[in-house]
Amino acid sequence: MGLSIRVCLGVASVMFCFFVLRLVATGKLLLKYSLLWLLLCFALLFCAIFPSAVYSISEFFGILAPSNFVFLVGIALLFAVALSLSVVVSKQVDSIKNLTQRIAILEKEADEFRDHR
């Protein structure tokens, strides 16, 4: 891996890390959802700082090009992010359904109370 690519990858990962931390600080992103993004940043930074480790690990797994290993790790982490967000959305759908049902029950009770007055 060339020095220019390593520098660009390192700078990009540090900038993205600061961007994620800024989103957390301003309250636009919860900390628990930022952890996987930060893990991705640190994985890319590790690849930029220690390219020999990437070569060794990719050779160990039988991957011919280290860049393919980096893409594989990145895609795996993005799948983890997508899965965690799918779990969150599923929980929120259930919560919204329950809240809608509770509101409907309360509105019905309020209407019945008004009718009996």
Side-chain angles (χ1 to χ4, degrees), residues 20-29:
V20 170
L21 292 174
R22 183 172 173 228
L23 288 174
V24 170
T26 58
K28 295 180 181 177
L29 181 64

Side-chain angles (χ1 to χ4, degrees), residues 34-64:
S34 69
L35 295 178
L36 284 172
W37 290 112
L38 292 174
L39 179 65
L40 180 64
C41 290
F42 290 130
L44 289 175
L45 189 60
F46 178 80
C47 292
I49 295 173
F50 304 110
S52 60
V54 175
Y55 284 98
S56 299
I57 295 170
S58 63
E59 185 179 313
F60 176 77
F61 286 113
I63 300 172
L64 298 177

Side-chain angles (χ1 to χ4, degrees), residues 53-97:
V54 175
Y55 284 98
S56 299
I57 295 170
S58 63
E59 185 179 313
F60 176 77
F61 286 113
I63 300 172
L64 298 177
S67 60
N68 290 343
F69 175 71
V70 171
F71 284 125
L72 177 67
V73 170
I75 290 170
L77 287 173
L78 290 176
F79 275 139
V81 168
L83 179 64
S84 70
L85 292 177
S86 295
V87 168
V88 169
V89 168
S90 297
K91 287 181 182 178
Q92 287 180 344
V93 165
D94 284 341
S95 296
I96 290 170
K97 181 186 73 168

